[in-house]
Amino acid sequence: MHNQATSNVSFNLHSILDNPFRLLINGKLVACDRTFDVFNPANNEVIAQAPVGSSSQLETAIEAAKAAFSNWASLSADERGDYILKYADALEERKEALAALLTLEQGKPFHTMATEEVNAAIYWVREVAKRRLPIETIEDTDDHVVEVHHTPLGVVGAITPWNFPVLLGLWKIAPCLVTGNTMVLKPSPYTPLTSLFFGEIAAKIFPAGVLNIVSGGNELGQQMTEHPDIAKISFTGSTQTGQKVMQSGATNLKRITLELGGNDAAVVLDDADWESIIPTLFWAAFGNSGQWCIAVKRLYVHSSIHTQFVKAFVQFAQDKKVGNGMDPTTDLGPIQNKMQYDKLVSLFRDTQKQGYKVPLGGVIDESLAGNFVPITIVDNPPEDSRIVQEEPFGPILPIIAFNDVDDVVARVNATPYGLAGSVWGRDRARAIEVSKRIQAGTVWVNEIHIHGVDIPFGGHKMSGMGVENGHEGLCEFTNTKTYMFKK
Ligand code: NAD
């Protein structure tokens, strides 16, 4: 399963890995007294040292972002957009190195998901640079004008997770800066290198202090959420940490956007063209080895087709290769870190102990050097099983039978999460009716994982607060300011 082969791409990385990674503070690349090991999850070897930003370095970064704010905010949106477009061009020039670094620290396959993530992120930066929040005229009568303006907030703190460190970081940077804010970004301690690398690229583009990147431990995140000079936290991560962010953000009534965990369901109705959708559903569940907030984590299939569906799904899945992401033949990379790997070991043991039917995978070979977990399908476990109720964040999927639409809708909604979901059926109108009953921020019908710069994305219930992307996502980086003029 574990293939150590690497492509030539890794050799381009020597020049990056041989130089120290540094923080970006006030336009300068800054070294730290302390560093921590960053591991390649495909073999658990140390690939680089990342700087541990100190509390006082974070303080300096926040001060720099505060000092840069008024000049940056006073530029026109077009001027700010031009800087961001230049940034997109500079990222484009280094995109192969960025994707290779992503594979090395995160594990996802270089030739597919890592390259796609980097390309999507650069596309996002370029497109968001062109978006504007125009003044809205609400009333314009003979003697009175009412206008709504969207004014920047100040310093934004961005906190990102380890599953999509490039895309999720740049998703925050571009809208934050185009709307006139400045930023301090703290990446996950598990995947700091890509963020430090795009920070190094940013150092040559933006005025000092506009974008600062500080890596280090979780305590830096806490310091940001408590800091009186940070006006907003844009957070992506687990629900548990999101709750802490909200608590400490209350100190100065920060604006808070939370993109959190999910336990997304896909519902395959009895009339679905089920054979043709299996590849799509496989990748929707197993892409990035299931380490995806919007991965399909529960697959409900009508009992009239369930047995055939599971058989065909297993057939499709069984030749997909789990391995080193640098190997061009790898379909799914390792689990990004030991903490998550250990959670999966526990979940797999529970699945075995309970005696659930496992037609594919099921046993983790813990003797392998990398964090490799086999593609695993659990056939019709009970609704109250851990594998149905918990967010596994790994390549394991329960395929659950249902008879009745009302019942399946109730089961889909019986979760504290509400991130996304999908419904599949030939009768489109009926499938849409079912989709309207799913309590989630995004629901797809006969398609899945479509995102767009202009499409708002966010979770309901304990999957989050607020949205990213779209007009609404841009507005979340601003205050609404109402002007009224007597004519
Ligand atoms: P995590 O919550 O452990 O960490 C996320 C970030 O928060 C890291 O940068 C971490 O250093 C920081 N952090 C930790 N403690 C903090 C504190 N007390 N205050 C402030 N910041 C703190 O999450 P993770 O394990 O890195 O990511 C996986 C989770 O993220 C999953 O639940 C997944 O579903 C979710 N996720 C959600 C989305 C979405 O858009 N909804 C996208 C990707 C991942």
Side-chain angles (χ1 to χ4, degrees), residues 22 37 89 116 183 252 287 337 339 356 358 412 429 462 485:
R22 288 168 297 172
D37 292 339
D89 291 343
E116 284 158 22
M183 177 173 270
N252 64 332
N337 59 70
M339 175 274 299
Y356 302 142
V358 181
V412 165
M462 290 184 80
F485 312 115

Side-chain angles (χ1 to χ4, degrees), residues 64-76:
K66 191 178 171 191
F69 172 65
S70 72
N71 277 349
W72 182 250
S74 67
L75 296 179
S76 70

Side-chain angles (χ1 to χ4, degrees), residues 87 97 132 157 166 318 332 341 369 387 409 422 428 434:
Y87 187 41
R132 302 289 177 264
V166 175
Q318 64 195 0
L332 300 179
Y341 176 84
I387 185 57
V409 167
S422 60
R428 200 169 136 261
V434 176

Side-chain angles (χ1 to χ4, degrees), residues 164-291:
F164 286 87
V166 175
L167 184 71
L168 296 176
L170 292 169
W171 261 23
K172 295 185 190 307
I173 291 171
C176 168
L177 300 192
V178 80
T179 45
N181 304 282
T182 56
M183 177 173 270
V184 178
L185 181 143
K186 190 206 79 63
S188 166
Y190 291 114
T191 52
L193 303 182
T194 41
S195 300
L196 296 166
F197 184 65
F198 64 60
E200 200 176 315
I201 296 171
K204 300 189 189 93
I205 308 281
F206 294 109
V210 167
L211 177 64
N212 306 271
I213 313 252
V214 182
S215 61
N218 293 341
E219 64 286 353
L220 295 179
Q222 170 116 19
Q223 190 181 336
M224 284 163 73
T225 58
E226 288 170 353
H227 202 287
D229 288 335
I230 290 189
K232 173 190 166 89
I233 294 285
S234 176
F235 174 84
T236 305
S238 64
T239 297
Q240 212 180 12
T241 313
Q243 287 173 301
K244 289 187 195 158
V245 169
M246 207 167 154
Q247 262 169 0
S248 42
T251 47
N252 64 332
L253 293 184
K254 283 186 178 55
R255 277 50 178 161
I256 293 182
T257 302
L258 301 175
E259 296 289 0
L260 309 177
N263 196 2
D264 292 4
V267 177
V268 180
L269 297 170
D270 52 1
D271 66 341
D273 182 8
W274 60 270
E275 273 173 301
S276 75
I277 62 179
I278 281 176
T280 305
L281 285 171
F282 172 83
W283 290 111
F286 289 95
N288 207 30
S289 299
Q291 304 164 104

Side-chain angles (χ1 to χ4, degrees), residues 288-336:
N288 207 30
S289 299
Q291 304 164 104
W292 207 352
C293 55
I294 48 166
V296 170
K297 292 170 185 150
R298 299 176 287 160
L299 179 48
Y300 290 94
V301 178
H302 193 266
S303 54
S304 61
I305 50 174
H306 179 263
T307 306
Q308 302 146 276
F309 183 95
V310 171
K311 202 169 155 211
F313 199 95
V314 167
Q315 210 160 19
F316 181 81
Q318 64 195 0
D319 64 352
K320 302 296 171 287
K321 185 174 158 193
V322 177
N324 187 325
M326 280 298 181
D327 176 350
T329 65
T330 288
D331 293 302
L332 300 179
I335 296 304
Q336 197 280 324

Side-chain angles (χ1 to χ4, degrees), residues 135-174:
I135 294 166
E136 296 163 53
T137 304
I138 307 297
E139 276 181 35
D140 188 358
T141 63
D142 289 346
D143 63 348
H144 190 58
V145 176
V146 180
E147 286 178 359
V148 171
H149 297 221
H150 299 279
T151 58
L153 300 167
V155 180
V156 173
I159 302 177
T160 52
W162 46 260
N163 58 345
F164 286 87
V166 175
L167 184 71
L168 296 176
L170 292 169
W171 261 23
K172 295 185 190 307
I173 291 171

